[in-house]
Amino acid sequence: MPGVVVVGSQWGDEGKGKITDYLSSKADVVVRYQGGNNAGHTIEFNNQKYALRLVPSGIFSGNPVVLGNGMVINPKALLEEIKYLNDANINTSKILISDRAHVILPYHLEIDALQEKYRGDKNIGTTKKGIGPTYVDKYARIGIRMGEFVNEELFKERLAEVLPLKKREYPELDFSVEGIFEEYKEYAKIIKPMVCDTALVLDEAFENKKNILFEGAQGTMLDIDYGTYPYVTSSHPGANGVCEGAGVGPVMIDEAIGIVKAYTTRVGSGAFPTEIEGEIANTIREVGREYGTVTKRPRRIGWFDAVVVNQSRRMSGLTGISLMLLDVLTGVEELSICTAYTLDGKVIHALPSTISELDRVQPVLETMPGWSEDITTVTSFAELPENCKKYLHRIEELIKCPIVMFSVGPDRTQTIVLKEVF
Ligand code: IMP
């Protein structure tokens, strides 16, 4: 009864959508366990490109998909996404939403924007989707959960309780209970049939020896505890988030696959030790189409950072990685890999905990010759150019984890599987 988790192992945008799409064809259930519509998963097949934010990639295989209790869900965004999928003739009748997932309401979005404004030049660079403020309410025990949201009476009651508290905190908020209720109760009616205790669904699936795929959003460097705090998201994108965010136990995870770009990118503010600027960065950005799916912001570009991926391996107990966007590096004459950092002259192999130290770390880089051959049509490891093979081997050695898949282009067919996980 394999449970497989796929996690972004850098700062997000590693191409998880593509791998979860591939693996979901072998899974019976696909589950998202954290985050919300701050995520943007792009999936391409049959010359069509789909962008998902909330709905797990498994939706394209026609299997049940679960939005777990660890998620924060904007009902309006969810319904827009469902409409977008239906317009593309994708069946959305098997979406299940945890009754314990928290609901993002308009004041959360407003608070996100206000907080960013007040932080000034120390702003996080959030997606402004209300993610952080909704998790804040969850832990402050004033959140509204799906189970309450879809019960009209309860929803109104909770809203009347919570909104005054939020207004006391943020007097700028210009919302009324009636205003939100009248609009959102209509969304709740449509969502209601999808809401249930999804942990029970997963337990039954495990009992029946079904394949379960847990789909992480964002990346482990954005983890609220182990990421580059405070420039992080407010959840646990790694395998460490599965138990709390899906309502399952740790023994239900057999494999943890880290999705890793062949280089590194980051959106938003915060430390980025291997960041590069200039011609190579611009080329990688254009070839790799490195612009945010949600916010369209240009992504910052950097060399492969083994310190980052090793941290992800430790946090998630990675059993393998899928190396993405390898083709984007074709034509870069000399590649650099970060093997360690120096902090105030001392070599270190893990990310320090404070942002002030993170800002001071310098990457220890080694260089390798690149390759110029087109690799977009290769179908096996053996067909890769020698320098490319060496690059992959060096990465495996540094991160102490095997490459089980690699990707040489956006299409489904351009994923080369070296080891099946289901
Ligand atoms: P939030 O998740 O909107 O609160 O944003 C917090 C940080 O996480 C910001 O730096 C965002 O750019 C980043 N972030 C959130 N979601 C994603 C994602 O899906 N990919 C990459 N970065 C993300």
Side-chain angles (χ1 to χ4, degrees):
M1 45 161 201
V4 173
V5 52
V6 164
V7 302
S9 294
Q10 290 152 321
W11 275 281
D13 310 314
E14 298 89 354
K16 285 178 295 292
K18 189 180 185 210
I19 299 304
T20 44
D21 170 55
Y22 166 74
L23 290 175
S24 61
S25 62
K26 295 157 189 285
D28 300 298
V29 188
V30 184
V31 187
R32 258 196 66 184
Y33 55 90
Q34 46 74 232
N37 62 326
N38 48 347
H41 292 168
T42 310
I43 292 151
E44 275 184 63
F45 55 91
N46 300 340
N47 293 323
Q48 284 280 356
K49 197 167 159 177
Y50 300 93
L52 295 176
R53 290 174 180 182
L54 280 164
V55 176
S57 314
I59 197 75
F60 299 109
S61 321
N63 293 318
V65 294
V66 170
L67 279 71
N69 59 278
M71 287 188 74
V72 287
I73 300 170
N74 178 330
K76 198 173 170 178
L78 177 65
L79 292 177
E80 276 166 15
E81 192 165 316
I82 290 175
K83 180 175 182 310
Y84 158 81
L85 288 166
N86 291 156
D87 287 349
N89 286 323
I90 310 291
N91 180 358
T92 53
S93 64
K94 291 184 184 165
I95 296 179
L96 302 172
I97 302 170
S98 169
D99 48 10
R100 288 157 169 91
H102 280 250
V103 181
I104 301 182
L105 290 164
Y107 51 88
H108 293 122
L109 279 86
E110 185 73 28
I111 293 171
D112 201 349
L114 286 171
Q115 284 180 342
E116 284 289 90
K117 189 171 99 185
Y118 296 150
R119 283 189 192 112
D121 59 8
K122 287 211 161 43
N123 70 76
I124 308 284
T126 73
T127 58
K128 298 211 175 83
K129 302 288 177 194
I131 306 297
T134 309
Y135 279 114
V136 164
D137 283 4
K138 168 175 173 167
Y139 287 99
R141 294 159 294 186
I142 54 167
I144 298 179
R145 308 206 291 183
M146 275 293 171
E148 294 164 330
F149 176 63
V150 296
N151 176 322
E152 235 174 65
E153 217 174 293
L154 266 182
F155 175 41
K156 195 161 186 191
E157 207 176 284
R158 293 297 331 279
L159 202 54
E161 222 173 274
V162 173
L163 193 57
L165 295 176
K166 301 313 291 183
K167 280 182 150 176
R168 200 174 299 165
E169 221 179 324
Y170 293 93
E172 304 91 327
L173 293 180
D174 189 22
F175 294 104
S176 70
V177 172
E178 276 309 316
I180 297 179
F181 177 71
E182 286 306 317
E183 181 184 353
Y184 278 71
K185 72 172 198 232
E186 298 305 321
Y187 305 144
K189 276 185 202 154
I190 311 174
I191 289 174
K192 190 171 183 168
M194 306 175 212
V195 176
C196 63
D197 184 344
T198 51
L200 293 180
V201 175
L202 296 182
D203 190 46
E204 196 182 315
F206 274 109
E207 258 182 40
N208 292 321
K209 313 236 178 305
K210 302 284 189 199
N211 287 341
I212 305 196
L213 180 67
F214 299 99
E215 173 181 337
Q218 291 87 42
T220 38
M221 282 304 108
L222 293 170
D223 182 274
I224 188 78
D225 285 326
Y226 275 91
T228 46
Y229 190 89
Y231 297 98
V232 292
T233 192
S234 302
S235 64
H236 296 291
N240 51 332
V242 172
C243 295
E244 67 162 311
V248 301
V251 292
M252 288 167 177
I253 305 170
D254 300 277
E255 299 267 3
I257 306 300
I259 312 301
V260 178
K261 263 181 198 170
Y263 46 94
T264 314
T265 61
R266 170 164 206 178
V267 281
S269 324
F272 186 0
T274 64
E275 184 166 17
I276 49 170
E277 276 163 21
E279 208 185 311
I280 297 178
N282 292 340
T283 308
I284 291 177
R285 186 176 299 111
E286 293 314 314
V287 179
R289 300 182 288 177
E290 295 294 359
Y291 292 88
T293 324
V294 177
T295 58
K296 312 285 177 230
R297 288 178 287 181
R299 295 179 185 141
R300 298 157 67 193
I301 309 287
W303 296 120
F304 185 89
D305 186 338
V307 181
V308 160
V309 181
N310 258 314
Q311 174 139 329
S312 181
R313 174 184 55 75
R314 290 194 301 273
M315 287 165 64
S316 286
L318 295 182
T319 54
I321 69 156
S322 180
L323 198 69
M324 311 303 289
L325 293 128
L326 191 55
D327 54 300
V328 174
L329 294 183
T330 300
V332 180
E333 245 171 72
E334 189 177 68
L335 297 163
S336 295
I337 299 188
C338 171
T339 58
Y341 300 150
T342 56
L343 175 62
D344 305 332
K346 199 170 152 234
V347 177
I348 56 170
H349 293 275
L351 281 105
S353 71
T354 67
I355 209 69
S356 113
E357 290 166 300
L358 266 169
D359 280 339
R360 294 203 306 279
V361 301
Q362 294 296 325
V364 176
L365 296 174
E366 67 179 33
T367 55
M368 299 184 76
W371 60 91
S372 56
E373 298 89 333
D374 176 19
I375 59 169
T376 56
T377 54
V378 305
T379 53
S380 67
F381 182 83
E383 285 170 59
L384 289 173
E386 280 314 305
N387 283 349
C388 185
K389 283 183 190 161
K390 283 185 190 152
Y391 186 65
L392 264 56
H393 281 315
R394 184 63 182 136
I395 286 176
E396 282 184 317
E397 196 173 66
L398 286 167
I399 64 168
K400 299 177 224 152
C401 193
I403 295 173
V404 292
M405 282 179 248
F406 65 89
S407 168
V408 291
D411 199 76
R412 263 182 183 172
T413 54
Q414 290 168 300
T415 306
I416 290 89
V417 180
L418 307 176
K419 185 195 158 209
E420 293 287 356
V421 291
F422 271 130

